[in-house]
Amino acid sequence: MVILGLLAALCFTTGGLFMKSADGFRQVAPGAAFLLLFGVGAVLQSHAMRGSGMAVTYVLVLGLEAALTLGFGVWLLGETLSLAKVAGLGLTLAGVALLRAA
């Protein structure tokens, strides 16, 4: 479940990068890539949910996606990393851990 969730989050995050470069679908190739990656991510997340509760899997994917998005934004897009962003990510990941433990 965790591996499929990680792959789904990676697809959603990479799809988000393509979404940004699609420029509101003015750029067809990145637009098609983001739709494809979001579709693959949804299928992977659906498979991950088979053996686990929806709340746990969904929040796990969202938490991983948040972490990956923050990292990709800083690394690939030159976005700033602030204490507030790190704290928000920490709270998100703490929530994921709490839901998994419940």
Side-chain angles (χ1 to χ4, degrees), residues 5-46:
L6 177 60
L7 291 173
L10 190 57
C11 284
F12 289 133
T13 303
T14 307
L17 288 170
F18 280 108
M19 182 191 295
K20 182 163 179 61
S21 63
D23 192 30
F25 266 100
R26 286 180 250 225
Q27 304 296 323
V28 176
F34 107 71
L35 287 176
L36 175 68
L37 285 163
F38 274 36
V40 170
V43 169
L44 289 168
Q45 185 172 348
S46 173

Side-chain angles (χ1 to χ4, degrees), residues 2 9 13 18 31 36 64 79 99:
V2 174
T13 303
F18 280 108
L36 175 68
L64 290 170
E79 296 178 357
L99 278 172

Side-chain angles (χ1 to χ4, degrees), residues 70 80-91:
L70 179 62
T80 60
L81 183 64
S82 67
L83 183 59
K85 288 179 183 177
V86 172
L89 179 60
L91 289 170

Side-chain angles (χ1 to χ4, degrees), residues 44-99:
L44 289 168
Q45 185 172 348
S46 173
H47 283 286
M49 285 181 174
R50 285 188 304 166
S52 184
M54 184 177 125
V56 174
T57 306
Y58 197 82
V59 173
L60 173 73
V61 171
L62 286 176
L64 290 170
E65 185 180 351
L68 289 169
T69 300
L70 179 62
F72 282 11
V74 170
W75 179 47
L76 298 174
L77 303 176
E79 296 178 357
T80 60
L81 183 64
S82 67
L83 183 59
K85 288 179 183 177
V86 172
L89 179 60
L91 289 170
T92 301
L93 295 177
V96 169
L98 241 135
L99 278 172

